[in-house]
């Protein structure tokens, strides 16, 4: 009963916010809506869209789609193994995964799509335009506009036609640092699951790393702050060519090194970032040495592990650049525990904050992670 009551109250508050905002009042924040939702609603209104009008879910032309598919091939190839595992993880909760390009055009679909349900079939098609101008406020348009992970539930979508969907979305950045598309997890008239925002963000990170490692390079640098243990998708990754030029980086590495996205073909050199001879990075990789601390020109120090192209990033864990051997699907309870643990880490150990982000109680966090209660 408490869950049903909470769901009903949440939907009622969303409906009240819609009434206030669409009548020209500023009631969205008071109703608990994220600011980016009301910003998106306002953009839709400015485009002359009306919440009650029908949504066509139109596909782009065949000629346009050929151009989109060609440009999106690296993104789709990098995403394939990640989406296959993700589809197994969400199979029991009636959600499916959609991958789009940076314009919101669907380029791949994975997961249990019920093709007998038109509401699923119309959006889970390669080539359909799910941009903001076409289908209003969605996790897809929001992630591409805000460039951050989002969660969107039912009436938080702009159009009444899209009010049956609940979705989590995260942008996907290419090796050049530019947004290349987004990953979306969508359910139809299903329970609200804000924890999926953590799962979609983690999956998008895996796609980015897979894509980066599949591009031509001579050296991979795995980056972390001193005291942290490297070895998963949360590490910064930087790739160099044989002359020490930086040819790619994942978003984490760009944040650590304050690197802007690559534009107009400009290439930074490792010597522009590291305050030590760049040739030493290749020497370290040749000796198969462990991670070392290196100074940056900013005055900070980073823990760096250098690896030659083609070698796994860690001796015991394969990278996401190549599909892992087929294993049994991870139990849903383990997936949930992983998401809760990541939320607590993101909140720096603050259980209350993690619980609020996930939409669950603190008691559930303590129980799932086996934490002692203070």
């Amino acid at each position: 009963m408490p869950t049903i009551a909470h769901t009903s109250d949440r939907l009622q508050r969303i409906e009240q916010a819609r009434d206030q905002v669409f009548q020209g009042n500023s009631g969205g924040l008071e109703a608990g809506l994220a600011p980016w939702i009301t910003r998106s609603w306002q953009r839709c209104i400015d485009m002359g869209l009306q919440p009650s009008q029908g949504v066509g879910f139109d596909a782009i032309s065949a000629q346009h789609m050929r151009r989109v598919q060609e440009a999106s091939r690296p993104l789709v190839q990098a995403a394939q193994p990640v989406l296959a595992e993700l589809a197994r993880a969400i199979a029991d909760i009636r959600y499916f995964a959609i991958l789009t390009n940076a314009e919101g055009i669907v380029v791949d679909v994975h997961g249990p799509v019920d093709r007998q349900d038109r509401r699923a079939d119309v959006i889970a098609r390669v080539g359909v335009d799910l941009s903001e101008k076409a289908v209003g406020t969605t996790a897809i348009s929001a992630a591409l506009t805000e460039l951050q992970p989002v969660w969107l539930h039912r009436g938080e979508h702009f159009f009444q036609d899209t009010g049956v969907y609940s979705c989590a979305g995260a942008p996907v950045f290419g090796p050049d640092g530019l947004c290349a598309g987004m990953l979306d997890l969508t359910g139809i008239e299903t329970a609200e699951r804000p924890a999926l925002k953590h799962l979609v963000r983690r999956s998008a990170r895996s796609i980015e790393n897979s894509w980066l490692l599949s591009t031509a390079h001579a050296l991979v640098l795995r980056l972390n702050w001193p005291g942290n243990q490297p070895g998963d998708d949360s590490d910064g990754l930087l790739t160099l060519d044989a002359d020490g030029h930086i040819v790619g980086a994942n978003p984490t590495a760009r944040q650590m090194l304050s690197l802007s996205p690559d534009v107009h073909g400009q290439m930074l050199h490792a010597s522009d970032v590291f305050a030590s001879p760049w040739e030493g990075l290749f020497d370290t990789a040749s000796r198969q040495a462990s991670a070392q601390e290196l100074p940056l020109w900013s005055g900070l120090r980073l823990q760096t592990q250098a690896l030659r192209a083609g070698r796994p990033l860690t001796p015991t864990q394969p990278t996401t650049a190549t599909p892992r051997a087929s294993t049994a699907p991870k139990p849903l309870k383990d997936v949930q525990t992983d998401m809760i643990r990541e939320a607590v880490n993101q909140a720096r150990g603050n259980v209350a904050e993690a619980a609020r982000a996930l939409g669950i109680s603190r008691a559930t966090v303590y129980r799932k992670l086996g934490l002692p209660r203070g």
Side-chain angles (χ1 to χ4, degrees):
M1 289 297 292
T3 300
I4 296 175
H6 172 76
T7 300
S8 176
D9 180 62
R10 170 96 161 98
L11 294 177
Q12 184 177 13
R13 285 188 286 114
I14 292 173
E15 193 60 34
Q16 291 172 347
R18 289 178 66 87
D19 291 341
Q20 292 174 8
V21 172
F22 294 149
Q23 289 174 10
N25 302 321
S26 57
L29 293 179
E30 290 81 354
L33 291 185
W36 57 263
I37 293 177
T38 52
R39 286 198 297 269
S40 177
W41 285 359
Q42 188 60 53
R43 287 194 301 271
C44 291
I45 293 171
D46 292 343
M47 286 188 283
L49 304 177
Q50 295 296 323
S52 59
Q53 72 186 68
V55 181
F57 300 104
D58 298 322
I60 60 176
S61 68
Q63 183 179 15
H64 187 188
M65 191 59 213
R66 284 194 292 272
R67 294 194 298 269
V68 168
Q69 287 180 313
E70 180 63 29
S72 301
R73 184 171 288 114
L75 168 63
V76 173
Q77 290 178 341
Q80 284 291 324
V82 178
L83 291 179
E85 295 182 357
L86 182 58
R88 294 203 303 271
I90 62 177
D92 295 335
I93 60 172
R94 296 194 300 131
Y95 278 74
F96 52 86
I98 294 174
L99 186 71
T100 82
N101 71 353
E103 284 72 51
I105 307 300
V106 177
V107 295
D108 204 359
V109 178
H110 272 258
V113 180
D114 181 3
R115 294 295 176 183
Q116 302 303 312
D117 187 338
R118 183 182 180 278
R119 300 169 300 178
D121 189 56
V122 291
I123 66 171
R125 294 178 294 136
V126 171
V128 69
D129 183 357
L130 298 181
S131 64
E132 190 171 72
K133 68 180 185 297
V135 299
T137 305
T138 63
I140 292 171
S141 64
L144 292 174
T145 301
E146 302 291 331
L147 298 182
Q148 65 179 10
V150 299
W151 168 255
L152 202 66
H153 186 52
R154 302 293 292 272
E156 290 176 329
H157 293 74
F158 179 78
F159 288 115
Q160 293 174 6
D161 279 0
T162 54
V164 297
Y165 302 109
S166 296
C167 42
V172 178
F173 295 89
D176 58 3
L178 299 174
C179 180
M182 68 81 59
L183 178 61
D184 170 87
L185 303 179
T186 290
I188 301 172
E189 292 187 340
T190 58
E192 183 169 21
R193 299 182 183 275
L196 287 178
K197 185 170 76 169
H198 291 266
L199 178 59
V200 76
R201 174 174 56 191
R202 190 160 134 182
S203 299
R205 188 180 297 155
S206 295
I207 293 171
E208 292 161 349
N209 291 348
S210 177
W211 187 354
L212 174 67
L213 297 173
S214 70
T215 58
H217 60 273
L219 194 72
V220 180
L221 299 181
R222 169 158 258 169
L223 310 175
N224 217 316
W225 298 111
N228 290 313
Q229 288 296 323
D232 60 29
D233 284 337
S234 65
D235 292 338
L237 295 179
L238 193 72
T239 55
L240 308 179
D241 66 15
D243 296 319
H245 293 101
I246 297 174
V247 293
N250 69 1
T252 302
R254 291 184 181 277
Q255 293 173 17
M256 289 176 166
L257 302 173
S258 299
L259 299 181
S260 300
D262 303 333
V263 291
H264 308 305
Q266 64 182 18
M267 293 179 68
L268 283 175
H269 195 272
S271 59
D272 297 322
V273 175
F274 295 100
S276 59
W278 65 272
E279 296 88 350
L281 298 170
F282 284 83
D283 294 339
T284 301
S286 298
R287 295 194 303 270
Q288 300 185 12
S290 58
Q292 60 177 331
E293 289 187 13
L294 292 179
L296 306 177
W297 288 115
S298 65
L300 298 171
R301 300 181 71 85
L302 273 179
Q303 182 175 265
T304 306
Q305 182 183 21
L307 296 152
R308 292 282 185 176
R311 285 186 53 202
L313 292 188
T314 63
T316 58
Q317 180 180 345
T319 75
T320 54
T322 56
R324 286 190 277 261
S326 179
T327 58
K330 199 170 192 178
L332 182 60
K333 64 181 181 64
D334 291 344
V335 175
Q336 293 171 334
T337 300
D338 289 345
M339 288 190 289
I340 292 172
R341 183 175 291 109
E342 181 173 345
V344 173
N345 290 337
Q346 290 287 332
R348 298 184 179 181
N350 188 321
V351 172
E353 182 179 333
R356 283 195 299 271
L358 294 172
I360 60 179
S361 68
R362 285 183 295 173
T364 300
V365 175
Y366 284 117
R367 186 179 71 255
K368 289 286 188 180
L369 300 186
L371 298 174
R373 303 193 189 190

